[in-house]
Amino acid sequence: MFFTAFCGTTSSLRRSVLPSSRLSMPSVPVPVVTLAILLLLLAKVYLSRVNRHSGALWFLAGCAVVVLMSVLRWSFSVPVMQQMQYLAAIGLAPLTWRCFASLTDTPRRWRHLITLAPPAAALSFHLLFPEATDTVLILLYFGYGGALLHTAQRGEDRFVLSRLSDAPATSRLACIAGGFLCFSGLTDMAIAVDFSLYRGEHAALLVVISQALLLPFLCLGILLPQRHAAPHAIPEAPSTATLPEITAEDVQRCTQLEALITDRALYLNPDLTLTALARKTATPARQISRAVNAARGCNVSQWINGFRIAHAQRLLCQTSSPVTAVMLDSGFNTKSNFNREFMRITGMSPGEYRRAAPDIEAPGSGTHQSLPPAFDGSSSG
């Protein structure tokens, strides 16, 4: 839930492009409220033992700094505060992108270049061509927002350095963050048009409306606990039309990988990432992802969770261990993810499965996801 904080902070960037004389007093308290909510959400993430992530903490801290600059600007009419606010504003978009790019296989050199070059160019334009400040800031947010949306669109397996259990959430959050960056760019564009056509008469109102629309999401991020209930329906399998073409090579590679994973019980490691799996199996991450997508009709995270759920099924049938202990012994970190995956694969909750255990045959140690119906064994590379 931590990236819901991003919603409120990006809208506060409008102060970086609006002269103080154009804003009326009713808009001043809004960033104060946003800052207070952000700090509460930052504390919630920091105190979380399961979902804490250094990238999330850095991101939330950056958001808080941006809003703090806005608050200080209205508290102290010092010209240098406007410049500091602009510096914080141009830094938030690359920081957001960096939080997700650090979990992908993007080369470190490119990560540094993409993180530093655009904001450096934006700062140069601000100093040399102040009249281009609005346009540069809009392009900055559209650029990083579009990059995040593109990364998320490529799927969960793109985040090779994220724990496989966290990959689905990481992909969704990247999409949400990218969307709100683009929303921020659109709002800045609306304010720029307002200044061009109406001399900024509606700028303050646009600022207040943007934060008023997004502040409820911040509040929900603080007030709503993590969901632990499993879904009541089994998600549909991905359409075969969206899967790569199945080849005999993919099937063979997937079968070999499954043997290695089963023999070494690699799936029991809760911190397993796609990069770590590639290293332990001596198979490039891209080949693993393609083979699993094609031969098993799912992503790597779901594939590994299939082994974990099979292990949990055996423990539920053969032991009297509490469900929480079974969850941890099967390689899961959170109960919500365990329940969701158990429901997806078995169609029932862990408790329901245990009660029905006498009538169910526990899966063997080599259980894995079955081949999609489209593969009849005759495909060839």
Side-chain angles (χ1 to χ4, degrees), residues 6-352:
F6 175 72
C7 317
T9 56
T10 54
S11 57
S12 68
L13 301 180
R14 315 308 180 257
R15 314 302 200 281
S16 65
V17 297
L18 298 177
S20 58
S21 61
R22 300 298 184 100
L23 289 177
S24 57
M25 284 302 294
S27 66
V28 176
V30 179
V32 178
V33 175
T34 304
L35 178 61
I37 296 176
L38 269 174
L39 292 176
L40 288 174
L41 190 55
L42 180 61
K44 177 181 179 180
V45 173
Y46 178 78
L47 296 174
S48 174
R49 296 181 179 180
V50 176
N51 297 318
R52 184 193 301 179
H53 188 277
S54 60
L57 295 175
W58 278 109
F59 170 70
L60 286 174
C63 293
V65 168
V66 171
V67 183
L68 178 62
M69 291 297 101
S70 177
V71 173
L72 292 177
R73 178 180 176 184
W74 300 121
S75 300
F76 308 98
S77 300
V78 181
V80 69
M81 292 305 304
Q82 183 175 354
Q83 300 302 323
M84 292 180 64
Q85 185 184 20
Y86 183 76
L87 290 175
I90 65 174
L92 183 59
L95 175 64
T96 304
W97 179 84
R98 178 83 179 196
C99 289
F100 290 101
S102 62
L103 298 175
T104 69
D105 58 356
T106 304
R108 180 175 299 181
R109 180 180 301 179
W110 279 105
R111 284 207 305 268
H112 291 334
L113 181 63
I114 297 174
T115 301
L116 299 176
L123 180 59
S124 299
F125 272 95
H126 175 65
L127 296 175
L128 299 176
F129 310 100
E131 65 279 2
T133 294
D134 291 359
T135 302
V136 170
L137 196 61
I138 291 170
L139 292 176
L140 193 71
Y141 277 78
F142 274 130
Y144 282 109
L148 279 175
L149 290 174
H150 177 68
T151 300
Q153 186 272 335
R154 296 178 63 181
E156 303 167 10
D157 293 346
R158 183 74 175 92
F159 302 95
V160 297
L161 297 178
S162 172
R163 290 187 305 192
L164 291 175
S165 57
D166 295 338
T170 301
S171 180
R172 289 194 299 270
L173 291 172
C175 185
I176 292 172
F180 282 118
L181 279 178
C182 292
F183 174 81
S184 177
L186 284 172
T187 309
D188 283 337
M189 184 181 297
I191 292 175
V193 171
D194 179 70
F195 269 103
S196 176
L197 299 180
Y198 305 104
R199 298 182 180 181
E201 294 180 3
H202 310 96
L205 181 61
L206 288 172
V207 171
V208 174
I209 289 176
S210 64
Q211 288 202 359
L213 288 173
L214 297 171
L215 277 175
F217 293 97
L218 276 171
C219 297
L220 288 175
I222 295 174
L223 298 177
L224 291 183
Q226 294 290 333
R227 293 181 299 173
H228 296 294
H232 296 289
I234 305 175
E236 294 182 1
S239 171
T240 55
T242 64
L243 299 175
E245 181 182 353
I246 307 173
T247 67
E249 181 182 2
D250 289 330
V251 175
Q252 182 180 11
R253 178 176 290 117
C254 207
T255 302
Q256 292 172 344
L257 288 170
E258 286 165 350
L260 285 172
I261 290 170
T262 301
D263 292 342
R264 301 179 186 178
L266 299 179
Y267 55 88
L268 296 182
N269 177 9
D271 296 321
L272 185 65
T273 66
L274 181 53
T275 296
L277 182 62
R279 184 173 61 252
K280 291 178 181 296
T281 60
T283 306
R286 292 180 184 274
Q287 292 185 15
I288 295 177
S289 179
R290 175 187 162 74
V292 172
N293 291 165
R296 298 296 180 247
C298 60
N299 57 51
V300 176
S301 175
Q302 294 172 325
W303 180 57
I304 291 296
N305 283 339
F307 291 96
R308 291 170 173 169
I309 294 302
H311 184 81
Q313 288 176 274
R314 291 193 296 275
L315 293 180
L316 289 171
C317 288
Q318 300 169 5
T319 72
S320 58
S321 301
V323 172
T324 301
V326 170
M327 172 197 79
L328 296 174
D329 290 342
S330 301
F332 287 94
N333 279 312
T334 63
K335 191 174 182 180
S336 58
N337 190 33
F338 175 61
N339 286 341
R340 181 175 59 251
E341 290 298 289
F342 204 98
M343 173 69 76
R344 179 179 68 84
I345 292 174
T346 68
M348 61 183 74
S349 69
E352 293 171 340

